[in-house]
Amino acid sequence: MASSIETQGSQRYVDFDEYIDYQLQKTQGNVKTTDVLTAMAVAATFVLAYLLLFVIGDHWLVADGFSPATRLVLLSLVGGVSVSWIVWKVLWPYWRQVNRLFAAKMIEQSQPELRSTLLNLIDARSHGQEVSPQILSAMEKRAALSISQTNVDDVVDRRPLLRACYAVLALVVLFCLYTLFTPKKVSTSIWRALFPAAAVEAPTQTVIDSVKPGDVEIIPGTRLEVLADVS
């Protein structure tokens, strides 16, 4: 009875247990990468949504724009939530190992023919259960042959990641459209949102671009011609 299987894309043969471990590690890596990317996309969605709402409020909803104190409070709240989310959903999962039983369950969900064979095999290994070598070999062979017919890259559910990416894309499009049609400068409000202590006035529809001759001293009663570029 054969005790090895050909690896995909090569002529190298490996033992059933080595092949199973390789596919499990690959699935674990895919799960971790997908979770981290999803969390980053969600964080980007949250920050973009905050900036868009801040710009709209700074332009139209609050007279003379948000005050420095309000901007500081809002930035602190958004920053605290964002940092907490990144630590909890990005950094912490990045340093943790995905459970092998969880990876095995995902593979079995995409390959019903396994019928819990892989789960039982991993459970028996992890708990050091005494299993007959013949039974263990049969389980390894059945699991390896079933996995060889499955693309483990497709067993990870990436729909949450896609939805988060679509949300980021939608917000970017909304930002571009708003920037295109608003009569006020968006960059000024973004600067005010990110740097609340900066002495930057709220954007207005009318902007004085330049004043000539600028700062000058004149004799009282003398006429002075002032030229201003207003947009």
Side-chain angles (χ1 to χ4, degrees):
M1 180 174 61
S3 61
S4 62
I5 189 171
E6 182 182 357
T7 59
Q8 297 179 356
S10 69
Q11 296 298 321
R12 187 173 66 89
Y13 288 81
V14 296
D15 292 337
F16 290 137
D17 56 346
E18 292 180 358
Y19 181 76
I20 293 172
D21 290 339
Y22 170 76
Q23 297 297 342
L24 284 174
Q25 292 174 5
K26 190 175 182 180
T27 303
Q28 289 173 294
N30 289 338
V31 171
K32 179 186 292 187
T33 301
T34 301
D35 288 347
V36 169
L37 291 177
T38 302
M40 293 176 64
V42 171
T45 301
F46 176 69
V47 173
L48 285 174
Y50 163 71
L51 289 177
L52 180 58
L53 293 175
F54 180 92
V55 169
I56 294 174
D58 202 43
H59 283 184
W60 309 109
L61 302 182
V62 180
D64 299 327
F66 292 106
S67 65
T70 302
R71 285 182 276 154
L72 181 59
V73 171
L74 291 175
L75 182 63
S76 300
L77 290 175
V78 173
V81 172
S82 300
V83 170
S84 300
W85 175 266
I86 291 175
V87 171
W88 179 38
K89 289 292 187 178
V90 177
L91 298 181
W92 181 247
Y94 179 80
W95 293 110
R96 295 186 64 187
Q97 184 71 24
V98 177
N99 190 281
R100 290 170 63 87
L101 287 174
F102 180 76
K105 182 178 179 180
M106 298 194 70
I107 295 176
E108 288 199 346
Q109 288 176 344
S110 66
Q111 189 62 264
E113 292 81 3
L114 285 169
R115 297 179 181 177
S116 299
T117 301
L118 184 58
L119 277 173
N120 293 333
L121 177 62
I122 301 303
D123 186 58
R125 284 182 179 179
S126 60
H127 291 86
Q129 299 178 6
E130 295 184 3
V131 183
S132 170
Q134 291 79 10
I135 296 177
L136 189 63
S137 177
M139 293 173 65
E140 290 178 347
K141 179 179 180 180
R142 179 179 177 182
L145 291 177
S146 297
I147 295 175
S148 66
Q149 301 174 7
T150 304
N151 186 0
V152 295
D153 291 331
D154 298 332
V155 304
V156 180
D157 185 8
R158 294 183 173 86
R159 287 175 295 181
L161 174 59
L162 290 176
R163 287 194 290 266
C165 290
Y166 289 149
V168 172
L169 179 60
L171 286 170
V172 171
V173 171
L174 289 175
F175 238 124
C176 293
L177 291 175
Y178 182 80
T179 303
L180 183 63
F181 292 107
T182 184
K184 299 183 180 182
K185 293 186 65 174
V186 172
S187 59
T188 301
S189 289
I190 293 179
W191 187 267
R192 284 163 52 83
L194 298 179
F195 302 95
V200 180
E201 297 295 331
T204 57
Q205 296 188 58
T206 303
V207 179
I208 301 176
D209 297 316
S210 65
V211 178
K212 297 178 181 179
D215 295 332
V216 295
E217 294 182 0
I218 63 173
I219 299 175
T222 304
R223 288 176 57 87
L224 175 66
E225 182 178 349
V226 179
L227 301 178
D229 292 331
V230 180
S231 61

